[in-house]
């Protein structure tokens, strides 16, 4: 019985371990983000609200940082929330109300509407000039990004 449990534990650990291809993809993404951050400048100094720790945790865990979310990117955040709901990374119950409040605050503002359209396609754009395409990352990072956007968006409404 102990041997069977050990074999199951080993199989579960092996299944959870990242593959070489996944590690290479993460390294490539880190390189792209680092070169993007170096060339984009610091941008506007807007706060990330109460969820700054979420981005920091993601950065320390994967060596990545999330684009900063501020008042100039509320439309984009609403669009990303729509993307996350549509693709089942967030529930409509959890994120729908926040998305609707953000949209009511930016309705009629052309730059915000453009930001919403980009966000709904999975492009997270930060007030710091950085961006992250959710289409180009794995589902675990998409989930973390969606949680990050929701937490920060709540602080804006």
């Amino acid at each position: 019985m102990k041997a069977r449990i050990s074999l199951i534990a080993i199989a579960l650990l092996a299944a959870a371990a990242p593959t070489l291809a996944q590690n290479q993809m993460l390294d490539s993404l880190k390189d792209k983000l680092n070169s993007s951050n170096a060339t984009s400048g610091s941008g506007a100094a807007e706060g990330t609200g109460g969820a700054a720790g979420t981005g920091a945790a993601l950065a320390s865990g994967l060596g990545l940082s999330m684009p900063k979310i501020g008042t100039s990117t509320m439309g984009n955040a609403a669009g990303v929330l729509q993307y996350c709901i549509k693709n089942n990374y967030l529930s409509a119950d959890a994120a729908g109300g926040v998305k609707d409040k953000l949209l009511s605050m930016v309705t009629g503002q052309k730059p915000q509407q453009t930001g919403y359209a980009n966000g709904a396609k999975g492009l997270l754009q930060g007030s710091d000039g950085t961006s992250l395409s959710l289409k180009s990352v794995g589902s675990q990072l998409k989930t973390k990004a969606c949680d990050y956007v929701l937490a920060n968006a709540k602080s804006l409404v």
Side-chain angles (χ1 to χ4, degrees), residues 2-154:
K2 276 187 168 182
R4 179 178 285 166
I5 293 172
S6 295
L7 288 175
I8 292 171
I10 290 171
L12 288 173
L13 286 173
T19 66
L20 178 61
Q22 289 170 329
N23 283 335
Q24 289 173 336
M25 185 178 91
L26 282 174
D27 289 342
S28 172
L29 184 60
K30 285 183 220 175
D31 292 342
K32 285 180 186 177
L33 284 174
N34 287 337
S35 66
S36 169
N37 287 340
T39 59
S40 68
S42 61
E46 290 189 30
T48 57
T54 306
L58 182 63
S60 66
L62 297 174
L64 303 173
S65 62
M66 298 298 269
K68 292 186 184 346
I69 297 172
T71 55
S72 66
T73 59
M74 288 191 301
N76 181 256
V80 171
L81 291 176
Q82 176 62 37
Y83 174 89
C84 294
I85 292 168
K86 179 181 174 186
N87 292 287
N88 298 315
Y89 292 103
L90 291 173
S91 73
D93 291 341
V98 175
K99 176 195 67 140
D100 292 341
K101 286 179 186 175
L102 286 175
L103 284 175
S104 71
M105 296 168 71
V106 300
T107 299
Q109 299 176 28
K110 182 116 173 107
Q112 294 285 3
Q113 290 173 337
T114 301
Y116 177 83
N118 289 335
K121 294 175 190 171
L123 181 63
L124 173 58
Q125 298 171 306
S127 59
D128 58 354
T130 62
S131 63
L132 173 67
S133 173
L134 297 179
K135 291 182 177 184
S136 67
V137 298
S139 63
Q140 185 178 20
L141 186 55
K142 284 179 189 168
T143 300
K144 289 183 184 231
C146 289
D147 290 341
Y148 168 80
V149 171
L150 178 59
N152 281 277
K154 283 180 180 178

